[in-house]
Amino acid sequence: MTKHFADRLIEAIKKKGNPICVGLDPRLDKIPAYIVRKALDQKDKSPTTMAVDAILEFNKGIIDAVCDLVPAVKPQIAFYEIYGHNGIWCYEQTLKYAKSKGLLTIADVKRNDIGSTAEAYAQAYLGEVSMFGGENEVITPIFDADSLTVNPYLGWDGVKPFVEECKRYGKGIFVLVKTSNKSSGDLQDLEMKDGKTVYEVLGHLVDSWGANETGKSGYSFVGAVVGATYPSQAKLLRKIMPNTIFLVPGYGAQGGTAEDVKVCFNKDGLGAIVNNSRGIIFAYEKMGMPDVSYCEAARAAVLEMKKDLE
Amino acid sequence: MTKHFADRLIEAIKKKGNPICVGLDPRLDKIPAYIVRKALDQKDKSPTTMAVDAILEFNKGIIDAVCDLVPAVKPQIAFYEIYGHNGIWCYEQTLKYAKSKGLLTIADVKRNDIGSTAEAYAQAYLGEVSMFGGENEVITPIFDADSLTVNPYLGWDGVKPFVEECKRYGKGIFVLVKTSNKSSGDLQDLEMKDGKTVYEVLGHLVDSWGANETGKSGYSFVGAVVGATYPSQAKLLRKIMPNTIFLVPGYGAQGGTAEDVKVCFNKDGLGAIVNNSRGIIFAYEKMGMPDVSYCEAARAAVLEMKKDLE
């Protein structure tokens, strides 16, 4: 039987000694020039093929540089989808490479839909896909991520198909609860009749959706996205969802500090994984290092973040 | 200058004489056997390549059958994404073929994110993507859909980048407001202090987001998704958003009737586009016709739906 996702994640966090997730959000204009130049030298290829070749080489460099240090990576699919089907090929390859290096993968796709539609997403990202049936049947994984982010606007109908694949394949989800952006309050902070906000209601829902899905670690495979940029809300949500692992965006470039992030953890020092994208993968820029040193810079940035979180 | 999306859509609805959108949600196990068999005959191809070859042929058949009858098609990306990068290639080809046949396209992707991430989605689906910069610069459209569906859980930050691409390229969006599924109320029906529900608040937000974006038709390029399965809520939303085009799912297979759909329209008989997926593309099953007649059946189903809506 496949091991419970929360147990796998908690184990990896303990093993690596930190709860850092590296966000693989590549941007072609920030990728070292020598990598882009090499990709452009392949004259017979289409522009999007050259673009994703450069991105994949860049990603592999980052993965090699951080795989012994951190428990997980989180590629944001928009930065791949922008190159169409070639970008999705690159996304698949990135997940595969990260996995081969012992990293847990969080597919940041924020997918959401209902019934058979959500089922299709769940099979694609977490489970397996069956094709043709009968004597021609082929069953194969497609993205095979360890976990993915889910948008809850459609309610339980839109979450259940993901939960079912998680159960079957030892995978996990992180449901958006309180996001890190400036206008996240437009909807999430609306106040109900009973004084509760939408994000609190969501917190209670996520807690209940995951209540029967805890592993040996005591944590559920139904996680939550809670932004580092809203520490007082995160503190409240930590109480509402004691057995939920928080995926915490917003540290670093978006303004969240180690102090802000603290409230996302339980007293056992566990229960959250903190993402950092730009601050690690493009650390060479901030550190004023030459772009050929982007891997070294990423490694240094991870170690610095580790120290900061301690 | 590119023409305003709402004007293009209203014009197409008037020209075709109906507000029907055909949902291109292919399922391999429902595609006529002769098409799947042909795809499987290409022994040197990978399973997902054969799968999407079958889907693309199926889609082209449907598009050919309905393109003179309806104004728009809406491919649901989950049913393509399930085949990974090959599925996304098929999605691109489907959009392209529909466009070449004079149909407006609604990319049903329910994307949502913030800042530069939402920008990447917006460029990919609605606008153009710039690669490499300087003397190597390549600017190209990727999906080039006429419009797409957007999930609003992250607030204005997550909608604005799409609105900007719409302005620039004459495209449109449909923001989820009240979805057609059973548990859509988990979040959307929560009641605020002032008695308003979340979907009503969203309705007012969508109305304000699109207020300055109306075309000559009087309608805005910021549309809304409002399910046919909740007619009383739809009636209220119609009042809250007089200048918003409703994309209405839930007719047919999900239980919405022509009577239910009526309230989504304004007094001018315009302001909504009604989607039907399974009821049209797999009509051959329901009509008890042989699968080789799936195109004929789809055509008959469209004409029947047209009559029902009248």
Side-chain angles (χ1 to χ4, degrees):
Chain A
M1 221 195 104
T2 324
K3 207 166 163 179
H4 190 280
F5 171 73
D7 293 350
R8 292 198 284 142
L9 182 55
I10 295 293
E11 202 177 282
I13 289 170
K14 283 181 179 168
K15 191 177 151 199
K16 303 287 173 78
N18 68 78
I20 299 173
C21 175
V22 176
L24 296 172
D25 305 356
R27 299 181 53 118
L28 206 50
D29 57 343
K30 284 169 163 284
I31 286 181
Y34 76 96
I35 293 178
V36 176
R37 224 177 296 123
K38 204 165 78 183
L40 281 170
D41 276 346
Q42 312 168 88
K43 296 286 177 205
D44 53 328
K45 288 200 173 178
S46 73
T48 53
T49 312
M50 293 189 288
V52 303
D53 279 354
I55 288 173
L56 188 56
E57 183 177 339
F58 174 79
N59 283 352
K60 285 184 173 176
I62 294 284
I63 290 168
D64 288 341
V66 304
C67 64
D68 64 324
L69 297 179
V70 302
V73 290
K74 180 177 78 61
Q76 164 54 254
I77 202 167
F79 296 111
Y80 302 79
E81 216 162 312
I82 193 172
Y83 303 111
H85 69 278
N86 287 318
I88 299 299
W89 171 84
C90 179
Y91 195 74
E92 292 165 9
Q93 297 302 315
T94 298
L95 288 171
K96 203 171 168 179
Y97 192 76
K99 192 162 209 168
S100 78
K101 294 288 171 175
L103 290 164
L104 288 170
T105 55
I106 303 171
D108 195 357
V109 296
K110 299 185 176 66
R111 294 301 187 251
N112 64 107
D113 223 295
I114 52 157
S116 61
T117 313
E119 232 176 86
Y121 280 135
Q123 288 169 7
Y125 285 98
L126 303 175
E128 292 177 304
V129 173
S130 156
M131 285 170 275
F132 312 123
E135 57 175 0
N136 294 310
E137 190 174 32
V138 176
I139 299 177
T140 180
I142 301 290
F143 293 99
D144 202 17
D146 291 301
S147 60
L148 92 171
T149 54
V150 173
N151 183 312
Y153 191 66
L154 295 102
W156 174 236
D157 286 349
V159 177
K160 191 174 168 232
F162 293 103
V163 168
E164 280 167 4
E165 292 302 275
C166 287
K167 256 190 223 178
R168 200 168 298 147
Y169 295 94
K171 304 291 179 80
I173 54 171
F174 294 95
V175 180
L176 303 190
V177 173
K178 177 67 187 166
T179 57
S180 60
N181 59 307
K182 214 173 153 188
S183 65
S184 72
D186 284 357
L187 241 95
Q188 297 162 28
D189 292 357
L190 291 175
E191 214 176 313
M192 306 292 112
K193 263 185 175 164
D194 61 1
K196 277 204 197 86
T197 57
V198 167
Y199 70 81
E200 282 176 77
V201 175
L202 236 301
H204 286 288
L205 280 174
V206 168
D207 182 63
S208 71
W209 292 338
N212 295 320
E213 315 301 353
T214 52
K216 285 178 192 154
S217 59
Y219 288 101
S220 168
F221 63 63
V222 181
V225 174
V226 178
T229 43
Y230 296 105
S232 65
Q233 291 87 334
K235 197 175 171 181
L236 180 57
L237 288 168
R238 187 66 281 176
K239 277 184 201 146
I240 294 173
M241 300 183 274
N243 306 313
T244 303
I245 300 178
F246 287 9
L247 169 61
V248 184
Y251 172 90
Q254 283 183 58
T257 66
E259 192 58 37
D260 296 333
V261 160
K262 219 191 242 172
V263 293
C264 294
F265 290 87
N266 277 322
K267 279 180 186 156
D268 59 2
L270 296 168
I273 180 142
V274 184
N275 185 70
N276 190 348
S277 305
R278 283 170 279 178
I280 293 173
I281 67 173
F282 303 125
Y284 78 90
E285 284 186 338
K286 210 179 157 189
M287 293 178 178
M289 287 165 77
D291 62 5
V292 290
S293 309
Y294 81 98
C295 296
E296 250 176 88
R299 221 181 140 78
V302 166
L303 293 170
E304 200 181 291
M305 180 173 168
K306 188 180 168 182
K307 218 169 144 186
D308 186 36
L309 291 183
E310 277 165 5
Chain B
M1 222 195 105
T2 324
K3 207 166 164 180
H4 191 279
F5 172 72
D7 293 349
R8 290 198 285 142
L9 182 55
I10 296 293
E11 200 177 283
I13 289 169
K14 284 182 179 168
K15 191 178 150 195
K16 302 288 173 78
N18 68 78
I20 299 173
C21 174
V22 176
L24 295 173
D25 306 355
R27 299 181 55 120
L28 207 50
D29 56 345
K30 286 170 162 284
I31 286 181
Y34 76 97
I35 293 178
V36 176
R37 225 178 296 127
K38 205 164 76 181
L40 281 169
D41 276 344
Q42 314 166 85
K43 296 285 176 209
D44 53 329
K45 289 202 172 178
S46 73
T48 54
T49 312
M50 293 188 289
V52 304
D53 279 353
I55 289 172
L56 187 57
E57 182 176 340
F58 174 79
N59 283 351
K60 285 183 174 175
I62 295 283
I63 290 167
D64 288 341
V66 304
C67 64
D68 64 324
L69 297 179
V70 303
V73 290
K74 179 178 78 63
Q76 164 54 257
I77 202 168
F79 296 111
Y80 301 80
E81 217 163 312
I82 194 170
Y83 303 111
H85 68 279
N86 286 319
I88 299 299
W89 172 83
C90 179
Y91 196 75
E92 292 165 10
Q93 297 302 315
T94 298
L95 287 171
K96 204 172 167 177
Y97 192 76
K99 194 164 206 164
S100 79
K101 294 289 171 175
L103 290 164
L104 287 170
T105 55
I106 303 171
D108 195 358
V109 296
K110 299 184 176 63
R111 294 302 188 251
N112 64 107
D113 224 296
I114 52 157
S116 62
T117 313
E119 231 177 86
Y121 280 136
Q123 288 169 6
Y125 285 98
L126 303 175
E128 291 177 303
V129 173
S130 156
M131 285 171 275
F132 312 123
E135 58 176 2
N136 293 311
E137 190 174 31
V138 176
I139 299 177
T140 179
I142 300 290
F143 293 99
D144 203 16
D146 291 303
S147 59
L148 93 170
T149 54
V150 173
N151 183 311
Y153 191 67
L154 296 103
W156 173 236
D157 286 349
V159 177
K160 191 174 169 237
F162 293 103
V163 168
E164 280 167 4
E165 292 302 276
C166 287
K167 255 190 224 179
R168 200 168 297 145
Y169 294 94
K171 304 292 180 80
I173 55 171
F174 294 94
V175 180
L176 303 189
V177 174
K178 176 67 186 165
T179 58
S180 60
N181 59 306
K182 213 173 155 187
S183 65
S184 73
D186 284 357
L187 241 96
Q188 298 161 26
D189 291 357
L190 290 174
E191 214 176 312
M192 306 293 111
K193 265 185 175 162
D194 61 0
K196 275 202 196 86
T197 57
V198 167
Y199 70 81
E200 282 176 79
V201 175
L202 237 302
H204 285 289
L205 280 174
V206 168
D207 181 62
S208 71
W209 292 339
N212 294 320
E213 315 300 355
T214 50
K216 284 179 194 155
S217 59
Y219 287 101
S220 168
F221 63 65
V222 181
V225 174
V226 178
T229 43
Y230 295 106
S232 66
Q233 290 87 333
K235 197 175 171 182
L236 180 56
L237 288 168
R238 188 66 280 176
K239 275 184 202 146
I240 294 173
M241 301 183 274
N243 306 313
T244 304
I245 299 179
F246 287 10
L247 169 61
V248 184
Y251 172 89
Q254 284 183 58
T257 65
E259 191 58 36
D260 295 334
V261 159
K262 218 192 244 173
V263 293
C264 295
F265 290 87
N266 277 322
K267 281 183 186 154
D268 58 3
L270 296 168
I273 180 142
V274 184
N275 185 71
N276 190 349
S277 304
R278 283 169 278 178
I280 292 172
I281 67 172
F282 303 124
Y284 78 91
E285 285 186 339
K286 211 180 155 188
M287 293 180 179
M289 286 165 80
D291 62 5
V292 291
S293 309
Y294 81 97
C295 295
E296 250 175 89
R299 221 180 139 77
V302 166
L303 293 171
E304 199 179 293
M305 179 172 169
K306 188 179 168 183
K307 218 169 144 185
D308 186 35
L309 291 182
E310 277 166 4

